[in-house]
């Protein structure tokens, strides 16, 4: 899920929201992490299309007095009273969704303004989408994360719609490899981004964005923390175990690198994080992710070396893998001597019996230099 988000290769998805708020996710919360960066680039949105629905409810306590006798009242799931100012026109919604389907949209993120209080409008639109058929994922924001803040809820719902089909396809492939008795005799659960477990049939894309790194945090916390550090005390002649030290985790994968820490007291959780420009409103372990890993491809653009976000993937992989792959971060480490072939098994090449190709990695960099010199760039 993390890689799909970083590389933006999730499901073709559309956002369904309240009339007048179609650009809310584009505008965002106007946070500027680096206020003096003149070259900052805003990450792209997950949805390809937007449908704005004529619907509106307001909280009764904030409505003008004259409205309270004009519009029907209802009680929301929080116990608050709402006024139903405009129910959705489901016939128009059906027409709009049919057009999305014909345009190749296969996933929907339905996020209405006050659905966290009164979800009936989202449920009605979701039912229409179910009746039309053809959508692999229909995510309703009040089910994904029933909280205030439209922008964060919208991003989280979009991530669920965008990524869940990828997760579902993987889970289906995983389960298919076992016999029919697996699910009846075994509790099949998967790690969530908060370090907890979820059953395979209730595992959404927004829960899986940092599930792999979360597993790493839980793993090193359980196996490495509180070890006997008495060897650290040889200089002071104290043979007693020292106090356990906090652990820093550095987890480099194919397309991302994750950094975390554990101090032995409790898991460090955050309720809202930004991953690849998308604000996710869900409990997650506090893990910082950089969109660069061993498989991140290297390019020469605008007279400088650019890393990612495209990935060389496991196959063909980096040039050093001997499969006519792409120049990647791993090749840089191989060429610089930071990755030493003799410490790795000879499992590369077409027959999977050769070591890492140091000469090939260096030759690929020489080719890049030659090409950019021919094009008029500097060395």
């Amino acid at each position: 899920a993390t890689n799909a988000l970083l590389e933006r290769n999730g499901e073709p998805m559309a956002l369904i929201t309240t009339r007048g708020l179609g650009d809310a996710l584009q505008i965002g919360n106007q946070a500027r992490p680096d206020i003096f960066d003149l070259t900052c680039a805003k990450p792209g949105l997950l949805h390809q299309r937007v449908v704005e629905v004529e619907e509106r409810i307001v909280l009764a306590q904030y409505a003008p007095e004259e409205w309270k006798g004009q519009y029907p009242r209802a009680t929301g799931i929080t116990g608050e009273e709402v006024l139903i100012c405009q129910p959705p026109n489901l016939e128009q919604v059906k027409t709009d969704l049919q057009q999305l389907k014909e345009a190749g949209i296969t996933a929907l993120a339905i996020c209405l303004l006050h659905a966290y209080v009164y979800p009936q409008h989202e449920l009605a639109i979701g039912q229409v989408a179910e009746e039309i058929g053809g959508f692999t994922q229909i995510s309703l924001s009040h089910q994904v994360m029933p909280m205030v803040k439209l922008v964060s809820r919208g991003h989280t719902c979009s991530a669920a719609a965008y990524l869940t089909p990828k997760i579902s396809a993987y889970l289906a492939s995983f389960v298919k490899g076992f016999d029919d008795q697996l699910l009846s005799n075994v509790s099949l659960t998967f790690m969530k981004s908060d370090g907890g477990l979820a059953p395979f049939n209730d595992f959404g894309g927004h829960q899986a964005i940092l599930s792999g790194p979360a597993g790493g945090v839980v793993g090193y916390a359980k196996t490495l923390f509180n070890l006997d550090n008495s060897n650290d005390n040889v200089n002071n002649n104290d043979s007693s175990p020292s106090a356990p030290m906090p652990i820093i985790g550095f987890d480099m994968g194919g397309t991302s690198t994750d950094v975390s820490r554990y101090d032995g007291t409790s898991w460090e959780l955050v309720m809202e994080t930004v991953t690849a420009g998308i604000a996710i409103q869900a409990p997650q372990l506090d893990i910082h992710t950089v969109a660069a890993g061993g498989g991140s491809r290297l390019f020469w653009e605008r007279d400088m070396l650019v890393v990612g976000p495209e990935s060389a993937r496991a196959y063909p992989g980096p040039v050093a893998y001997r499969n006519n792959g792409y120049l990647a971060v791993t090749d840089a480490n191989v060429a610089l001597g930071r990755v030493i072939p003799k410490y790795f098994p000879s499992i590369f090449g077409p027959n999977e019996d050769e070591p890492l190709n140091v000469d090939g990695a260096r030759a690929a960099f020489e080719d890049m230099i030659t090409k950019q010199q021919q094009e008029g760039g500097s060395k």
Side-chain angles (χ1 to χ4, degrees), residues 188 279 358:
L188 180 60
V358 179

Side-chain angles (χ1 to χ4, degrees), residues 35-377:
I35 194 171
F36 298 110
D37 184 1
L38 300 180
T39 62
C40 63
K42 193 171 184 177
L45 297 170
L46 300 182
H47 58 267
Q48 298 178 6
R49 302 273 293 272
V50 178
V51 170
E52 297 186 10
V53 178
E54 286 280 7
E55 72 85 35
R56 182 59 67 103
I57 66 168
V58 298
L59 297 175
Q61 68 181 107
Y62 301 114
E65 285 299 323
E66 58 269 23
W67 287 19
K68 295 180 181 180
Q70 181 180 355
Y71 297 112
R73 287 173 173 258
T75 301
I77 57 177
T78 61
E80 298 171 276
E81 282 198 339
V82 299
L83 302 180
I84 305 175
C85 300
Q86 176 68 59
N89 183 339
L90 297 182
E91 287 300 321
Q92 181 60 49
V93 168
K94 184 176 182 179
T95 300
D96 294 337
L97 296 186
Q98 189 66 47
Q99 292 175 353
L100 290 179
K101 179 181 175 181
E102 294 169 358
I105 297 297
T106 55
L108 300 176
I110 304 174
C111 183
L112 304 182
L113 182 58
H114 293 302
Y116 66 95
V117 175
Y118 188 77
Q120 276 71 11
H121 291 179
E122 281 193 353
L123 291 169
I125 295 172
Q127 181 61 38
V128 172
E130 291 280 0
E131 293 171 357
I132 292 174
F135 296 108
T136 58
Q137 179 65 29
I138 302 170
S139 295
L140 309 181
S141 72
H142 75 276
Q143 295 176 348
V144 173
M145 185 54 60
M147 296 181 68
V148 296
K149 296 185 179 180
L150 176 70
V151 172
S152 297
R153 180 160 47 92
H155 277 311
T156 306
C157 185
S158 295
Y162 188 72
L163 300 174
T164 298
K166 292 278 186 182
I167 299 297
S168 298
Y170 168 76
L171 296 182
S173 174
F174 179 83
V175 172
K176 189 177 180 181
F178 296 87
D179 60 40
D180 296 336
Q181 301 301 315
L182 170 67
L183 301 182
S184 59
N185 297 329
V186 177
S187 176
L188 180 60
T189 58
F190 289 86
M191 180 72 69
K192 298 189 297 182
S193 299
D194 62 1
L197 298 174
F200 86 100
N201 55 358
D202 188 26
F203 189 44
H206 66 293
Q207 299 172 314
I209 292 175
L210 292 177
S211 61
V217 174
V218 174
Y220 76 65
K222 294 292 186 182
T223 58
L224 297 178
F225 188 78
N226 205 24
L227 293 180
D228 186 346
N229 296 321
S230 57
N231 290 336
D232 297 336
N233 299 321
V234 293
N235 294 330
N236 59 14
N237 297 318
D238 183 4
S239 60
S240 62
S242 62
M245 298 176 61
I247 305 172
I248 294 177
F250 183 90
D251 181 3
M252 175 174 278
T255 55
S256 62
T257 298
D258 307 295
V259 180
S260 58
R261 70 182 293 274
Y262 178 68
D263 64 2
T265 56
S266 61
W267 304 119
E268 296 185 10
L269 294 172
V270 291
M271 291 304 299
E272 182 172 327
T273 57
V274 178
T275 302
I278 303 299
I280 306 297
Q281 195 175 41
Q284 299 181 31
L285 290 176
D286 191 8
I287 301 171
H288 294 264
T289 300
V290 179
S296 296
R297 292 177 58 182
L298 304 180
F299 305 91
W300 191 268
E301 297 178 358
R302 299 182 299 278
D303 226 24
M304 63 182 179
L305 196 64
V306 178
V307 180
E310 294 87 346
S311 171
R313 301 188 179 275
Y315 188 90
V319 173
Y321 283 16
R322 300 180 183 268
N323 290 318
N324 297 316
Y326 305 100
L327 197 62
V329 170
T330 292
D331 295 308
N333 287 321
V334 169
L336 292 171
R338 295 171 179 168
V339 171
I340 304 174
K342 70 178 183 180
Y343 294 122
F344 290 81
S346 296
I347 56 173
F348 305 97
N351 298 321
E352 300 181 353
D353 59 356
E354 299 179 80
L356 286 167
N357 188 357
V358 179
D359 294 335
R362 291 174 176 168
F365 280 104
E366 291 293 338
D367 289 343
M368 174 185 284
I369 294 171
T370 301
K371 288 180 182 179
Q372 63 91 11
Q373 287 177 335
Q374 293 173 348
E375 294 171 358

